[in-house]
Amino acid sequence: MASGNHRGTGIFRRSISRRLSPEFKEELDGLPGVANLKRVGERPRIGNYLADLWDRRLFIYVGARGEASTSHSRDRLGLLWLIIRPLLDAVFYYVIFALLLKVDRGMDNFIAWLLVGLFMFQFTQRSMTAGVTLIRSSKSMIRAFAFPRASLAFANVTRELLLAVPSFVTMLLLIALIPPHAWPTGLMFLMVPMLAVQLLLNLGLVLFLARLGAMLPDFARLMSFIQRVLFYGSGVIIPITRFDMPQWVEAVITSNPLFVMLEMYRSILVYGEAPPAGDWLHFLAWAVGAFLVGFVVFWWAEESYGRE
Amino acid sequence: MNKNNIGVQRGSSKNFIEVAAQSQPPELEREAWSLAGEPKVTLAAEDVRLRYTIYADSPGRSFIRGRRKRQSVPAVRGVSLIVREGEMVGLVGLNGSGKSSLLRVLAGSEPATSGYVFASSQPQLLGVSAALVPDLSGLDNIWLGTLAMGMDPDQAHDAKDKIIELADIGHAIRQPMRTYSSGMAARLRFAISVAAQPEILMIDEALATGDAAFHKRSEDAMHELLDRSGTVFLVSHAAKTIEDLCTRAIWLHKGAVVADGPATEVARLYRFFAHALANDNKEGADKALLRARDEHPPTTFQSRGSTR
């Protein structure tokens, strides 16, 4: 039977057709509805995928808000933990590094420097932690509905943003109130573009780590180690560049996007200076790169995330 | 066991669906059927295979000594089928015969190791799992689920009341889904899945935990779906349910299709089979299986299947 009139439609599309047996094609050829059949579980083209994601923007937001509102619902103190935990961290690090080890010698506002570093680093760190287990922790949604799985990553960073807002406010209040006060300046508005770029970086990291964690569950075990390396390598609590070190180590540290990011936040919030254009470019390039790589890496295995 | 039945005499008293789906009717006859408004093909699968990679104890492994061996286990071994609108297909088979695996491949949630599945639209799979987002209330889960299926806010809003009515779980709808009994969760998930009016609905034991009242409601909802020229797949351990509800039954044994025909006959033979096995009547079981295979041979499109 001639299948010429179907070529180019449905399952008789050339790329699929040549992988099917002639008997199967012959059996289907001419049956009603065959031209409308589409491959199930096929990775969509990246353009269609993006369009699908855009269609689910409300789903992403509702999912993020729902998770944010219930993330501490089983704790007595509820969302207060969003402020309590980083404060405890800050007090602890202040005691160790400023009072005991005195790494703050020669710095005029170590507390503000420490607080900004800690709070802004933790924003990215939390996304990374959730990213590795993203697919596993969303299993029931993935099983129940067919939606572009990357929406989970978008929802994840949105949730972290919603949860981080109270801690950002706390941070700004603290550095203004604790002497020597770092009062807000006109440069504060630079927080907005900074946060936008950081979100893009977080999204790239979550997408990348989600794929990695789904393929290789062992990676979740490695995550706390990687985060510790990043923590010290980004100068969150120790003004790392004041130490003597081999040139290549310094090169690695200063090209680390999180190190650059923290320097920029501190420059804006603690020292009231606009970060140099070179830092902006450096940070933006990393964020865009991370997003593009993460997105493609995640999309590449789109059809496999439902696997048991 | 010979999986392939090419050459076996085909039964003569079949309705048009079977004739069109699994034999090679003369061309003229096929044309005649399409003139008479032959039902459209909604799902077609060719030689679908699925293997799981697992780590299993090697034989003779004691608690302390011995290695766990990595091995690949076949779950679905070459299933081909064509399904049309208005059909309600029941899958029967013993535990571990590959019913759920097959359904997950057909729905696209598990990528097949080889073979292709085509469908007229994305199948909606309803599996056995407890809550969707456990910490969110039933209402929030409805909102999230309808958006996940791709509804726009207006559609989701309109669907909400219908879902609440169909689920009929009273005030529990405002409580977190983690507090639900398995029956209540199944009701809610079924109601959400049906709300999108999927063309193809696949139900994997999800109704087993419902009570009698819910069975009636879910049956009505499924028939409504069939009347809208949809297709329903149903996996159930109770072959009686399949016999009563379905138009067609597919009997899976060790990952391959043994028989594919009218539900009243195939499911009944399966019941004989299961009953005989339960009574240690190996002979009777074999007889029922062979009879089902001879009377309702499965769809096969190629002869190469038998050599693998």
Side-chain angles (χ1 to χ4, degrees):
Chain A
M1 185 182 267
S3 58
N5 47 342
H6 295 294
R7 196 148 284 155
T9 61
I11 76 172
F12 292 103
R13 215 170 65 204
R14 201 112 162 269
S15 55
I16 296 176
S17 177
R18 62 161 187 249
R19 286 179 282 180
L20 300 172
S21 71
E23 291 86 350
F24 181 68
K25 281 184 279 185
E26 197 180 314
E27 185 76 36
L28 281 173
D29 198 4
L31 294 184
V34 168
N36 293 328
L37 294 182
K38 285 182 287 290
R39 176 115 188 262
V40 173
E42 187 181 34
R43 179 178 62 223
R45 286 157 189 268
I46 205 156
N48 297 345
Y49 194 62
L50 280 168
D52 266 4
L53 269 174
W54 175 246
D55 286 344
R56 306 293 158 111
R57 58 194 184 278
L58 186 62
F59 168 58
I60 291 169
Y61 176 68
V62 169
R65 203 192 46 192
E67 278 182 59
S69 67
T70 57
S71 63
H72 290 70
S73 62
R74 299 189 204 193
D75 301 326
R76 281 293 168 82
L77 293 181
L79 295 177
L80 271 180
W81 279 111
L82 294 175
I83 298 165
I84 299 173
R85 180 61 210 274
L87 275 183
L88 286 175
D89 287 346
V91 170
F92 173 74
Y93 290 128
Y94 182 75
V95 170
I96 300 277
F97 291 95
L99 300 186
L100 295 176
L101 296 175
K102 304 209 190 324
V103 293
D104 62 330
R105 266 171 294 192
M107 296 179 67
D108 44 8
N109 192 353
F110 181 71
I111 291 194
W113 187 91
L114 175 69
L115 282 172
V116 171
L118 203 56
F119 277 70
M120 299 321 292
F121 179 81
Q122 284 188 345
F123 181 39
T124 293
Q125 188 188 24
R126 270 197 304 269
S127 279
M128 289 173 74
T129 309
V132 192
T133 53
L134 183 68
I135 299 299
R136 215 178 321 155
S137 57
S138 316
K139 208 90 219 183
S140 53
M141 280 302 277
I142 290 179
R143 267 190 225 156
F145 305 111
F147 57 88
R149 309 307 188 200
S151 4
L152 295 168
F154 282 78
N156 178 283
V157 293
T158 313
R159 179 194 69 185
E160 290 306 332
L161 178 66
L162 293 173
L163 287 176
V165 169
S167 66
F168 291 157
V169 174
T170 315
M171 173 187 80
L172 293 177
L173 280 175
L174 284 175
I175 61 171
L177 295 177
I178 298 175
H181 315 275
W183 296 112
T185 63
L187 283 174
M188 272 258 300
F189 76 92
L190 285 177
M191 269 285 275
V192 177
M194 277 300 289
L195 275 175
V197 182
Q198 191 181 0
L199 271 178
L200 196 65
L201 179 73
N202 290 359
L203 186 55
L205 287 170
V206 169
L207 286 163
F208 184 78
L209 292 172
R211 165 90 193 269
L212 219 56
M215 304 286 118
L216 202 70
D218 313 47
F219 200 77
R221 312 245 170 248
L222 207 59
M223 206 52 213
S224 58
F225 171 74
I226 293 173
Q227 284 178 342
R228 185 143 325 137
V229 171
L230 277 178
F231 186 74
Y232 289 100
S234 307
V236 179
I237 43 170
I238 306 173
I240 198 161
T241 45
R242 299 168 77 208
F243 293 89
D244 284 330
M245 56 184 126
Q247 210 163 18
W248 67 270
V249 177
E250 194 173 354
V252 169
I253 288 177
T254 49
S255 64
N256 168 5
L258 291 175
F259 174 82
V260 176
M261 177 189 85
L262 294 184
E263 289 290 290
M264 292 171 77
Y265 273 123
R266 284 160 177 159
S267 156
I268 294 167
L269 298 173
V270 182
Y271 305 118
E273 293 164 10
D279 280 6
W280 282 103
L281 274 177
H282 185 109
F283 183 33
L284 189 65
W286 265 99
V288 172
F291 172 70
L292 290 179
V293 171
F295 191 78
V296 172
V297 162
F298 186 91
W299 161 79
W300 200 263
E302 169 73 8
E303 73 278 14
S304 73
Y305 296 121
R307 202 172 265 163
E308 296 280 282
Chain B
M1 180 190 23
N2 176 15
K3 287 182 286 177
N4 236 300
N5 295 280
I6 284 182
V8 172
Q9 190 62 44
R10 291 170 195 279
S12 54
S13 62
K14 290 180 190 153
N15 66 37
F16 64 89
I17 291 170
E18 272 76 37
V19 171
Q22 41 170 268
S23 66
Q24 298 99 338
E27 232 101 279
L28 268 176
E29 203 179 310
R30 190 185 284 180
E31 294 300 316
W33 278 120
S34 30
L35 286 177
E38 192 184 12
K40 287 186 181 129
V41 174
T42 49
L43 188 137
E46 194 211 7
D47 199 27
V48 166
R49 286 158 196 271
L50 177 68
R51 300 185 77 93
Y52 289 116
T53 306
I54 54 158
Y55 291 86
D57 293 353
S58 46
R61 177 182 188 259
S62 73
F63 260 138
I64 301 151
R65 277 149 39 83
R67 293 190 309 136
R68 287 165 80 79
K69 248 175 69 185
R70 182 191 158 100
Q71 47 189 210
S72 168
V73 182
V76 179
R77 305 203 276 192
V79 172
S80 298
L81 50 100
I82 293 177
V83 180
R84 300 175 176 244
E85 60 186 19
E87 274 193 293
M88 184 150 174
V89 183
L91 298 177
V92 292
L94 300 172
N95 288 341
S97 57
K99 304 185 296 289
S100 298
S101 296
L102 175 62
L103 216 52
R104 291 161 40 71
V105 171
L106 294 182
S109 75
E110 181 105 28
T113 313
S114 74
Y116 296 92
V117 180
F118 303 93
S120 54
S121 71
Q122 170 65 44
Q124 173 70 36
L125 175 64
L126 189 63
V128 236
S129 73
L132 295 170
V133 183
D135 280 335
L136 289 182
S137 71
L139 282 175
D140 286 341
N141 270 299
I142 293 176
W143 184 223
L144 201 58
T146 45
L147 292 174
M149 291 187 294
M151 289 191 185
D152 64 36
D154 290 339
Q155 292 169 322
H157 193 77
D158 292 343
K160 196 179 87 177
D161 292 334
K162 258 192 259 171
I163 295 174
I164 295 175
E165 196 196 322
L166 179 59
D168 190 28
I169 52 172
H171 292 302
I173 202 87
R174 298 181 188 286
Q175 292 161 10
M177 212 169 160
R178 73 183 129 93
T179 63
Y180 286 19
S181 71
S182 54
M184 281 156 72
R187 280 171 170 235
L188 184 59
R189 287 186 311 115
F190 176 80
I192 296 175
S193 295
V194 174
Q197 310 206 328
E199 263 179 65
I200 306 172
L201 180 66
M202 301 179 165
I203 302 170
D204 183 1
E205 295 281 5
L207 306 180
T209 46
D211 54 25
F214 182 61
H215 278 186
K216 177 77 180 64
R217 282 161 173 273
S218 54
E219 265 170 49
D220 291 347
M222 282 188 271
H223 282 129
E224 196 189 311
L225 193 148
L226 292 173
D227 291 342
R228 281 198 321 264
S229 65
T231 302
V232 176
F233 284 78
L234 186 65
V235 166
S236 177
H237 279 294
K240 189 82 178 77
T241 314
I242 304 257
E243 212 177 308
D244 294 345
L245 282 178
C246 297
T247 57
R248 173 179 169 187
I250 294 176
W251 179 349
L252 281 170
H253 191 68
K254 294 182 178 165
V257 178
V258 172
D260 179 353
T264 43
E265 293 168 40
V266 173
R268 175 169 310 219
L269 283 169
Y270 172 74
R271 281 207 292 145
F272 283 138
F273 168 81
H275 186 78
L277 272 191
N279 293 320
D280 269 338
N281 177 3
K282 189 91 179 44
E283 237 170 84
D286 282 348
K287 233 162 91 185
L289 193 138
L290 289 175
R291 191 175 148 202
R293 200 184 68 186
D294 289 344
E295 286 180 9
H296 305 286
T299 319
T300 43
F301 300 117
Q302 69 271 71
S303 44
R304 62 181 161 97
S306 61
T307 58
R308 280 202 252 168

